[in-house]
């Protein structure tokens, strides 16, 4: 069991780890689950035939990993797991997969996930890292990634996810047991869609890597990022475009705008306004039906989404309404698309004398344009399904509040699946006390700073730093912070450190957004921001994909940016070099 300072002996146990895979990291895993998962969130989505099994399915059935290379447990993928209550990615396995893939190396993966992070241990090959069968499977997989580009399976899953939302029954009419049955019905979908998400994520790294290599070979390394910008069809950016359109309604209507004045509580003010706000509310209801599953920490059903808390998205619309019409993000996206097409033609023209290189380059561009958006779509699909479990569990929690068993509907997420069944049957004694103990444990975990890299046996939690305790020297004028280039361009503006996307009111249009990490809940903040800086992030992190789609300079893996850049300072962000300068 995870060792944490609490009187409750039951929490989510650490995932069994194979001794041959000692290197683990929060890279990417910290974007998916930035906080410790809740007991119900883990049981109903990740464990017991859920997403963990989906990752294992992908490794065995698509990526050529032999089943006997993994721990003999269908819920242990080998590639991801919990350590000390936090999600970690097996960097050992990511390196091994790269070494087995023709044309790739462990160094390529290190560069993508870590940049120049000083704590990354050197790669040391071992006999088991080689597997000719895996390499043969990967040859066929690469042919799919760079050749057929068939996305019919992904499209089928998109329709399945939409059907799950569109066919949602009246949850208030279901029995308590039926609500939990609905959560169980979502689990196999989470499994198959996470299998696809890992497949799309792996595929999304191939085309961009080839584009970067070819651009560097012809002496145009700076062109690679611009060729990968403005791809279109990026699902995680779509809500921002829809919010922009809604913000134009607010900007054009003084009475409607007055309802947005005054900070939090916008939704209640709109409902109280009656007829004058009804056209906007009707459009907003359509927005929530399409995008309501998104929100901060959306992979955990404990977290609120835009559907469960409509004020979250309204706060973003409030921020966008302050921008003039000529700041429409669609226009910037169109400019990026035009530049991408122009540069693609230029580089292709430079390769005409080499037919093989010419064909490889065009195939890589097509692959990137297919799988980078595909990665985001696969994520959208599973998030939509997870939200169906969330909504069912919220209804069960609401009833438990009405019955005096819980204090808040979200408290149901602090119970494990067997306890939820007992709650539904009326057989869970002292539910409120159990939840209170778990909540204390959850808060204890949240107060810790999980190590970014673990190599070997994890240090005991008693040695983990507490958030805010680390001393980091702030930058002074003229000093620079080196990160990884994410989206090209240079921008100078006021730094605004935002630690929670549900509280965007500190950010003003034109500010430089500085965040610890980002996921789709942060995307609307990219629209008013002049540039984005992120503490962590890899080559295909959410911040990079969305900033390229919206066309704003971005730097990721700028270690400790949120603490070493003073809030309110003037900074210059160079998305081409990855440098951030305090001016």
């Amino acid at each position: 069991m995870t060792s944490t300072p609490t009187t409750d002996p039951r929490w989510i146990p650490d995932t069994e780890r194979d001794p041959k895979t000692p290197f683990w990291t929060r890279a990417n895993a910290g974007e998916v689950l930035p906080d410790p998962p809740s007991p119900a969130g883990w049981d109903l989505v990740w464990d017991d035939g859920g997403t963990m099994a989906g990752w294992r399915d992908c490794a065995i059935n698509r990526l050529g990993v032999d089943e006997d290379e993994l721990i003999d447990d269908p819920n242990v993928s080998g590639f991801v797991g919990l350590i000390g209550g936090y999600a970690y990615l097996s960097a050992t396995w990511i390196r091994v997969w790269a070494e087995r893939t023709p044309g790739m190396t462990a160094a390529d993966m290190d560069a993508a996930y870590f940049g120049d992070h000083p704590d990354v241990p050197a790669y040391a090959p071992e006999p088991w890292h080689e597997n000719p069968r895996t390499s043969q499977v990967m040859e066929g997989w690469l042919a799919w990634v760079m050749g057929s580009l068939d996305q019919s399976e992904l499209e089928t899953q998109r329709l399945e996810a939409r059907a799950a939302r569109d066919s949602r029954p009246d949850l208030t009419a279901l029995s308590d047991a039926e609500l939990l049955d609905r959560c169980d019905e979502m689990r196999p979908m989470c499994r198959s869609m996470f299998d696809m998400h890992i497949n799309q994520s792996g595929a999304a790294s191939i085309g961009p890597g080839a584009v970067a290599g070819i651009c560097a070979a012809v002496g145009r390394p700076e062109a690679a990022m611009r060729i990968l910008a403005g791809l279109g069809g990026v699902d995680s950016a779509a809500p921002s475009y829809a919010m922009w359109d809604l913000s134009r309604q607010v900007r054009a209507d003084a009475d409607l705008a007055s309802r947005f004045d005054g900070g939090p509580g916008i939704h209640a003010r709109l409902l109280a306004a009656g007829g004058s706000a009804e056209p906007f509310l009707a459009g907003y209801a359509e927005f929530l039906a399409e995008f309501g599953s998104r929100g901060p920490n959306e992979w955990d059903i404990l977290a609120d989404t835009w559907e469960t808390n409509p004020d979250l998205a309204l706060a973003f619309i409030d921020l966008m309404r302050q921008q003039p019409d000529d700041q429409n993000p669609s226009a910037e996206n169109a400019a990026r698309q035009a530049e991408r097409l122009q540069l693609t033609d230029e580089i292709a023209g430079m390769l005409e004398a080499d037919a093989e290189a010419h064909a490889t380059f065009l195939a890589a561009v097509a692959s990137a344009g297919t799988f980078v958006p595909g990665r985001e779509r696969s994520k959208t699909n599973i998030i939509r399904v997870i939200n169906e479990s969330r909504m069912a569990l919220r209804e069960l929690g609401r009833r438990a509040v009405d019955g005096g068993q819980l204090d808040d509907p979200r408290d149901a997420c602090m119970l494990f699946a067997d306890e939820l069944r007992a709650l539904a049957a009326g057989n869970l004694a002292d539910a409120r006390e159990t939840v209170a103990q778990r909540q204390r444990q959850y808060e204890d975990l949240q107060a810790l700073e999980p190590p970014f890299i673990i190599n070997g046996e994890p240090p005991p939690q008693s040695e983990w730093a507490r958030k805010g305790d680390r001393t980091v020297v702030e930058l002074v004028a003229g000093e620079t912070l080196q990160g990884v280039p994410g989206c090209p361009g240079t921008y100078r503006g006021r730094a605004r450190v935002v630690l929670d996307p549900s509280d965007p009111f500190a950010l003003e249009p034109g500010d430089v957004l500085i965040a610890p990490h980002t996921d789709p809940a942060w995307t609307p903040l990219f629209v008013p921001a002049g540039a984005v800086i992120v503490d962590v992030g890899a080559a295909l992190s959410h911040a990079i994909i969305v900033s390229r789609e919206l066309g704003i300079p971005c730097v990721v893996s700028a270690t400790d940016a949120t603490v070493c850049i003073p809030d309110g300072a003037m900074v210059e962000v160079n998305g081409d070099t990855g440098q951030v300068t305090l001016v």
Side-chain angles (χ1 to χ4, degrees):
M1 291 291 182
T2 300
S3 175
T4 48
T6 178
T7 58
D8 180 16
R10 186 179 183 190
W11 190 255
I12 309 169
D14 278 8
T15 306
E16 185 179 359
R17 298 186 302 281
D18 193 325
K20 70 183 180 185
T21 60
F23 181 20
W24 294 76
T25 179
R26 285 281 286 160
N28 272 35
E31 287 190 10
V32 175
L33 287 172
D35 294 327
S38 63
W42 188 257
D43 271 11
L44 298 179
V45 173
W46 292 85
D47 205 13
D48 195 17
T51 55
M52 292 286 281
W55 195 314
R56 186 184 181 99
D57 292 342
C58 184
I60 295 170
N61 300 328
R62 300 184 195 268
L63 305 181
V65 174
D66 292 333
E67 188 165 10
D68 61 8
E69 294 186 286
L70 303 174
I71 289 173
D72 188 19
D73 183 336
N75 291 310
V76 176
S77 74
F79 286 78
V80 68
L82 294 186
I83 300 178
Y86 281 85
Y88 277 82
L89 183 71
S90 173
T92 299
W93 257 119
I94 297 300
R95 283 173 159 181
V96 169
W97 176 73
E99 287 288 317
R100 293 179 180 182
T101 302
M104 296 180 66
T105 66
D108 295 329
M109 287 294 101
D110 285 353
Y113 279 87
F114 304 113
D116 58 356
H117 197 288
D119 297 335
V120 176
Y123 172 66
E126 298 181 25
W128 74 271
H129 292 183
E130 296 184 11
N131 185 321
R133 193 190 77 84
T134 302
S135 298
Q136 184 177 14
V137 170
M138 293 313 299
E139 284 185 9
W141 182 81
L142 287 171
W144 169 70
V145 173
M146 293 289 283
S148 74
L149 308 180
D150 179 18
Q151 292 285 54
S152 56
E153 187 179 355
L154 178 63
E155 174 61 14
T156 297
Q157 290 191 353
R158 183 185 71 84
L159 297 176
E160 290 174 350
R162 284 186 174 274
R165 171 62 180 89
D166 294 342
S167 63
R168 180 192 297 172
D170 178 2
L171 298 178
T172 63
L174 299 184
S175 69
D176 289 358
E178 288 171 334
L179 290 171
L180 292 175
D181 289 343
R182 180 161 174 81
C183 294
D184 288 339
E185 290 170 6
M186 298 299 117
R187 202 192 316 264
M189 296 178 69
C190 287
R191 177 175 183 167
S192 64
M193 290 181 182
F194 200 71
D195 169 5
M196 174 57 69
H197 178 55
I198 298 306
N199 188 41
Q200 294 286 325
S201 296
S205 68
I206 304 302
V211 169
I214 292 172
C215 288
V218 298
R220 296 287 300 278
E222 80 290 345
M225 278 194 292
R226 298 178 189 276
I227 289 173
L228 300 173
L231 295 174
V234 174
D235 281 2
S236 54
S240 296
Y241 297 135
M243 285 180 181
W244 177 266
D245 292 339
L246 289 168
S247 77
R248 296 308 89 186
Q249 294 182 39
V250 181
R251 188 174 177 84
D253 187 330
D255 182 62
L256 186 59
S258 69
R259 309 295 174 180
F260 278 74
D261 294 335
I266 298 172
H267 194 239
R269 294 196 293 273
L270 289 172
L271 293 174
S276 63
E278 285 182 2
F280 176 86
L281 285 171
Y284 190 58
E286 294 178 3
F287 170 87
L288 291 179
E290 178 65 21
F291 303 114
S293 58
R294 312 314 304 234
N297 199 12
E298 60 195 6
W299 290 89
D300 190 355
I301 56 178
L302 169 67
D304 271 319
T305 60
W306 298 340
E307 182 174 13
T308 62
N309 184 354
D311 273 324
L312 292 177
L314 287 170
F316 293 129
I317 294 171
D318 184 29
L319 184 59
M320 289 184 195
R321 70 162 170 135
Q322 302 172 40
Q323 294 180 270
D325 292 343
D326 62 7
Q327 296 297 307
N328 188 333
S330 296
E332 182 61 37
N333 176 260
R336 292 286 178 172
Q337 287 191 42
E339 182 183 40
R340 172 173 58 84
L341 294 173
Q342 177 187 341
L343 285 171
T344 298
D345 288 343
E346 287 182 15
I347 301 299
M350 298 172 68
L351 297 167
E352 285 183 346
D354 186 337
E356 182 178 353
H358 184 268
T360 300
F361 173 70
L362 293 180
V365 171
S367 178
T370 299
F371 291 109
V372 172
R375 177 182 186 266
E376 294 301 294
R377 176 146 298 171
S378 66
K379 185 189 304 181
T380 296
N381 293 343
I382 191 172
I383 290 300
R384 201 186 295 270
V385 171
I386 289 172
N387 195 52
E388 292 309 298
S389 293
R390 176 184 288 107
M391 298 305 293
L393 196 59
R394 287 295 173 93
E395 174 60 22
L396 180 66
R398 183 191 64 77
R399 296 177 189 180
V401 171
D402 289 346
Q405 297 159 292
L406 300 176
D407 295 322
D408 186 288
R410 297 170 73 240
D411 289 348
C413 294
M414 286 294 150
L415 300 174
F416 289 97
D418 61 323
E419 294 169 327
L420 289 168
R421 286 289 177 184
L423 179 71
N427 297 327
L428 185 64
D430 301 322
R432 182 180 280 105
E433 180 180 346
T434 297
V435 166
Q437 290 177 330
R438 301 264 170 81
Q439 188 64 44
R440 287 193 294 271
Q441 181 152 3
Y442 185 73
E443 291 170 357
D444 287 340
L445 287 172
Q446 283 187 306
L448 298 175
E449 188 73 60
F452 183 66
I453 287 173
I454 292 175
N455 189 30
E457 189 65 25
Q461 283 185 330
S462 60
E463 297 178 8
W464 288 18
R466 298 185 69 82
K467 291 176 181 175
D469 283 357
R470 265 190 322 122
T471 300
V472 177
V473 178
E474 287 189 346
L475 296 179
V476 298
E479 290 186 329
T480 63
L481 179 66
Q482 184 64 51
V484 174
C487 184
T490 301
Y491 182 81
R492 180 176 291 195
R494 181 180 61 173
R496 279 302 182 208
V497 176
V498 180
L499 301 179
D500 184 350
S502 62
D503 182 25
F505 293 101
L507 189 76
E508 295 181 7
D511 285 348
V512 175
L513 170 64
I514 305 178
H517 61 87
T518 69
D519 56 33
W522 292 81
T523 303
L525 285 174
F526 285 41
V527 175
V532 176
I533 304 168
V534 187
D535 282 349
V536 298
L540 285 176
S541 64
H542 167 267
I544 287 180
I545 292 174
V546 173
S547 61
R548 289 177 181 173
E549 185 71 5
L550 299 178
I552 58 174
C554 173
V555 172
V556 302
S557 200
T559 306
D560 292 328
T562 51
V563 288
C564 71
I565 298 177
D567 186 58
M570 188 66 64
V571 295
E572 183 172 278
V573 182
N574 190 322
D576 292 279
T577 65
Q579 277 197 335
V580 179
T581 304
L582 193 75
V583 297

